């Protein structure tokens, strides 16, 4: 790229390539999400982390693409789940996969770790929000680093934090209280963390609750599980029990 | 006759680059110490993101920065300060003194005068004479040296409380470390009762000549 314009006139300012945004850009792009996905959930268990996300991508209120997976296995150390604008997730996925390929081609046996990707994503998203061209996504980064499970979130502003249970979107209202209750009870009663099976059962329960009340959710979903020496992504489907529907009174 | 209902243009959700993530800071300086404390609740709207996010950033063995406001700006600002301090250390082979950090922070904040870091900062430390020092900021870099301050979502609740206890103190009746710590705890306990963005835990750092002592106090978690 040229750093000085060919047509520079003495006395005038030099043109610098891509100074970022103009007032015109901000008005032009409403930067509103178009194809969106709903909540993601993540929970830390004793030896790893589990993430859950359904496979629906909505176009407004239309259940548009019903088989769009959004749990990404980055490498043997990291899984990532995304919520929000699906194309922005695809963009980040392409960049992250490129990073992983570059890393593999170095062939030095060193691979990216979850804290590094969490920080990297927070910088990328913060950079884009500062340009007023946000990537309209929330990411959960999960993995095991130095034998300690890691779970962190980054939102479209670059707000980044780490916790043992995280949910985005409607999940923060409907699922997060269930997750905090399960984790706190386990700690108070047994002074220990959830087992892997308990964590997966908890996420299944949360996905069911979300399916009943979040209108943008879906019955097909994935659970990604990462431990020190295994990564797997399961494809699951809810068996909804609509007999509970008649318990809802007053709409006859 | 206009029979067509004008539903208006589709509403473009305009992007809002700031979030208010809550949290409060209290800091008090004394003759040979400075204490700075923050709560650990990170929230937005009615959501609690996490209950264990300290807002204190240790910059050196005798200065600690407390930041509340927009968490994404806090992360960026503290990263920039920490890397600046690192290059200062490598350039000069000495850590930066709190009064210099205070000026650096002011300059950094003002560099974004027209797209500010939405962060309320309190810098606590020990000055060249080993006395506690405290600097309070606004988001665009106004800096004031104070003896005590409260900032963040509960700043307006806690500042009058500190004023009533410490406002008329004179040099011959300086605040002691025990008194300062107990005021910090009381301020946060009271704020936790009335402010939904302050709660869960208080972490405090007491900066003294022989190191930084940290502690945790539980607050209400609802």
């Amino acid at each position: 790229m040229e750093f000085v314009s060919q047509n520079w006139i003495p006395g005038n300012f030099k043109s610098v390539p891509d100074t970022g945004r103009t007032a015109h850009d901000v008005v032009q792009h409403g930067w509103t999400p178009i194809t969106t996905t709903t909540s993601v959930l993540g929970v830390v268990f004793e030896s790893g982390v589990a993430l859950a996300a359904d496979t629906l991508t909505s176009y407004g209120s239309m259940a548009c693409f019903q088989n769009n997976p959004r749990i990404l296995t980055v490498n043997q150390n990291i899984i990532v789940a995304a919520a929000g604008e699906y194309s922005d997730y695809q963009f980040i996925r392409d960049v992250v996969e490129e990073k992983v390929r570059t890393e593999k081609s170095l062939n030095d046996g060193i691979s990216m770790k979850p804290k590094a990707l969490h920080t990297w994503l927070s910088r990328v998203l913060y950079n884009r929000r500062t340009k007023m061209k946000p990537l309209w996504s929330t990411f959960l980064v999960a993995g095991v680093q130095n034998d300690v499970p890691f779970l962190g979130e980054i939102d479209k502003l670059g707000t980044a934090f780490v916790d043992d249970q995280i949910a985005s979107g409607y999940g923060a209202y409907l699922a997060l209280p269930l997750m905090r209750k399960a984790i706190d009870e386990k700690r108070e009663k047994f002074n220990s963390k959830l087992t892997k099976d308990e964590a997966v059962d908890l996420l299944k329960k949360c996905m069911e609750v979300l399916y009943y009340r979040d209108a943008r959710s879906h019955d097909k979903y994935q659970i990604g599980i990462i431990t020190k020496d295994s990564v797997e992504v399961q494809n699951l489907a809810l068996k909804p029990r609509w007999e509970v529907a008649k318990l809802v009174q007053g709409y006859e | 006759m206009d029979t067509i209902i004008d539903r208006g243009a589709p509403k473009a959700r305009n992007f809002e680059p700031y979030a208010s993530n809550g949290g409060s800071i209290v800091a008090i300086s004394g003759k040979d110490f400075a204490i700075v404390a923050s709560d650990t609740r990170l929230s937005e709207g009615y959501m609690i993101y996490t209950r264990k996010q300290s807002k204190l950033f240790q910059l050196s063995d005798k200065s600690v920065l407390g930041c509340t406001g927009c968490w994404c700006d806090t992360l960026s600002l503290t990263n920039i300060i920490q890397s600046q301090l690192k290059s200062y250390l490598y350039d000069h082979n000495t850590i930066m003194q709190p009064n210099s950090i205070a000026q650096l922070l002011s300059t950094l904040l003002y560099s974004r005068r027209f797209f500010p870091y939405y962060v309320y900062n309190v810098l606590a430390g020990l000055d060249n004479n080993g006395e506690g020092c405290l600097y309070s900021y606004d988001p665009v870099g106004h800096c004031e040296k104070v003896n005590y301050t409260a900032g963040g979502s509960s700043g307006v609740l806690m500042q009058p409380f500190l004023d009533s206890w410490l406002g008329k103190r004179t040099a011959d009746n300086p605040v002691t470390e025990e008194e300062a710590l107990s005021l910090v705890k009381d301020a946060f306990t009271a704020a936790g009762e009335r402010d939904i963005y302050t709660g869960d835990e208080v972490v405090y750092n007491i900066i003294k000549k022989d190191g930084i002592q940290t502690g945790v106090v539980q607050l209400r978690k609802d």
Side-chain angles (χ1 to χ4, degrees), chain A residues 62-82:
Chain A
M62 179 168 71
C64 201
F65 309 108
Q66 307 199 359
N67 189 26
N68 269 0
R70 52 194 171 103
I71 295 186
L72 171 67
T73 306
V74 175
N75 56 27
Q76 288 305 299
N77 307 323
I78 315 171
I79 51 174
V80 167

Side-chain angles (χ1 to χ4, degrees), chain A residues 42-45 48-50 148-152 161-167 176 179-180 183-184 187 193-194 202, chain B residues 49-50 52:
Chain A
V43 61
V44 169
F45 56 89
V49 188
V148 181
F150 173 91
L151 173 64
F161 59 92
V162 177
D163 209 343
D164 283 351
Q165 67 286 320
I166 299 178
L176 197 52
M179 290 153 68
R180 283 186 177 146
I183 288 170
D184 290 350
R187 187 177 51 233
K193 287 190 167 180
L194 300 178
L202 174 63
Chain B
Y49 282 149
T50 174
K52 46 182 190 184

